[in-house]
Amino acid sequence: MSLKNFGKAALIVAVVAACGKNRVQVTDNGLKYQIHEQADSPRKGKVGDILTLHLTLLNNKDSILRDTHKEGAPFQMLLQVPPFKGSYEEGLTMLGKGDSATFYVSADSLFTRAMQPLPPGVQKGTDIGIAVKVINVQSEDEYKKTQAADFEKQKGIDAKIIENYVAKNGLAGKVQKTESGVYYVVTQPGSGPAPSRGDLVQVHYTGKLLDGKVFDSSKTNPQSGGKPVQFPVGVGQVIPGWEEGVMKMHKGEKATLIIPSTLAYGPRGNQGIPPNSVLLFDIDLIDIQKGQAGQPGMPQGMPQPGR
């Protein structure tokens, strides 16, 4: 074959490959998909792996239902056996690190299996588009090692941020610190007892970012109706930084907790809270009921465990 003809042949192969890459295909189990990018990585996702990926959910009119790019943190999931024919878990086994694709899954199957109603904008009998970009594929052991290393690194970063905040705001000499790294400043002493693990505490709280922006408050949160919230302390129903800080307080006391991200919402963040954020909480410990761990769980509006 002449070099001229070889060039034409190569061009044809490239065009065919490009067309095939974005062509909608269907697996034997009925999953419709488009591959957008696929490297020659030998490591594809398999059941039991932890996948880190960015994910965009689209309805049949291409309106975005969720986009982790805008949430500031990728989505992490344990890859499980596909729960139904045509589920996107099957498609994820085709992808490796750096690959991207869109899967089209029956909305009825997706939400009915999860025992959830169809969300606004999603019609019965339509498909949900799930666009994914795989950032990493790890075994459970690899994931745990990475998490531990990232946790230790972030602890050092948070400690420096808090130390700078304390110095800048003239809190040196006023602030106390727990063994795990929660800083707290008593703003109004209390004369009552301190809560023990399992006690039901009642508090008012206001949560802020370090720049002073309020992201939540029991006094204004419509879910709590402006009333104090209550929860059993020391049993994992709130973020670890709350557990430690509140158990250092006394009934009637008011304090400001400075909580490192590793004891708050970590790399995932939360609504109104960017990933890896050091947080401030103004806490008013109103009441303590001894040994009430068996009471119902915390009301809506409470910060959830940082996991």
Side-chain angles (χ1 to χ4, degrees):
M1 180 184 292
S2 69
L3 289 177
K4 183 178 180 181
N5 288 334
F6 178 82
K8 289 181 179 178
L11 178 61
I12 292 171
V13 170
V15 170
V16 170
C19 292
K21 183 185 294 184
N22 286 289
R23 179 169 54 88
V24 176
Q25 303 177 69
V26 184
T27 68
D28 292 341
N29 289 320
L31 174 65
K32 292 178 284 187
Y33 67 96
Q34 285 177 295
I35 300 293
H36 305 306
E37 296 177 81
Q38 193 158 40
D40 268 335
S41 171
R43 177 76 177 273
K44 306 297 182 186
K46 64 179 185 298
V47 172
D49 281 344
I50 309 293
L51 302 189
T52 301
L53 47 85
H54 271 299
L55 174 149
T56 306
L57 297 183
L58 306 154
N59 66 13
N60 65 320
K61 296 181 180 179
D62 289 338
S63 295
I64 295 175
L65 305 175
R66 181 183 180 186
D67 186 352
T68 60
H69 296 86
K70 295 180 179 179
E71 293 172 7
F75 181 71
Q76 293 179 317
M77 63 176 287
L78 172 67
L79 185 53
Q80 300 177 326
V81 174
F84 58 90
K85 286 189 175 182
S87 71
Y88 82 109
E89 285 86 350
E90 177 189 355
L92 292 175
T93 63
M94 306 176 191
L95 305 180
K97 183 177 179 179
D99 295 347
S100 62
T102 299
F103 305 107
Y104 301 94
V105 180
S106 163
D108 298 343
S109 297
L110 186 63
F111 290 99
T112 300
R113 293 271 179 170
M115 293 185 290
Q116 295 178 357
L118 294 177
V122 177
Q123 299 175 340
K124 187 176 178 61
T126 62
D127 287 341
I128 293 288
I130 305 176
V132 301
K133 172 75 173 182
V134 179
I135 298 171
N136 208 355
V137 179
Q138 297 171 294
S139 68
E140 187 174 355
D141 285 343
E142 290 170 336
Y143 175 77
K144 287 179 178 178
K145 289 178 181 178
T146 300
Q147 288 290 94
D150 289 346
F151 182 86
E152 289 302 318
K153 180 179 178 181
Q154 190 62 43
K155 276 179 66 176
I157 294 171
D158 289 349
K160 289 180 180 179
I161 290 173
I162 294 175
E163 288 168 6
N164 290 338
Y165 179 86
V166 166
K168 182 178 178 181
N169 290 274
L171 297 177
K174 302 177 184 178
V175 70
Q176 302 177 65
K177 180 184 176 184
T178 70
E179 291 183 4
S180 297
V182 175
Y183 289 69
Y184 63 101
V185 181
V186 176
T187 55
Q188 176 182 298
S191 57
S196 301
R197 189 177 304 277
D199 288 348
L200 190 70
V201 297
Q202 188 178 82
V203 306
H204 262 310
Y205 72 91
T206 298
K208 309 172 188 175
L209 303 179
L210 283 190
D211 62 5
K213 181 180 179 181
V214 174
F215 57 81
D216 191 18
S217 175
S218 58
K219 297 178 181 179
T220 58
N221 190 317
Q223 291 181 318
S224 63
K227 297 179 180 179
V229 295
Q230 60 182 18
F231 60 96
V233 71
V235 296
Q237 288 205 15
V238 292
I239 57 175
W242 266 54
E243 302 272 42
E244 289 198 26
V246 171
M247 290 178 73
K248 292 288 186 182
M249 297 176 65
H250 295 80
K251 182 177 177 179
E253 187 170 298
K254 295 182 180 181
T256 297
L257 308 182
I258 309 174
I259 302 178
S261 69
T262 52
L263 296 174
Y265 296 98
R268 294 190 180 187
N270 200 17
Q271 293 182 351
I273 302 172
N276 295 320
S277 293
V278 173
L279 303 179
L280 297 176
F281 280 98
D282 294 325
I283 304 287
D284 181 358
L285 179 52
I286 298 169
D287 194 18
I288 304 169
Q289 296 179 42
K290 287 293 181 182
Q292 298 293 315
Q295 293 288 329
M298 60 190 173
Q300 292 293 320
M302 270 300 293
Q304 299 293 317
R307 294 175 180 169

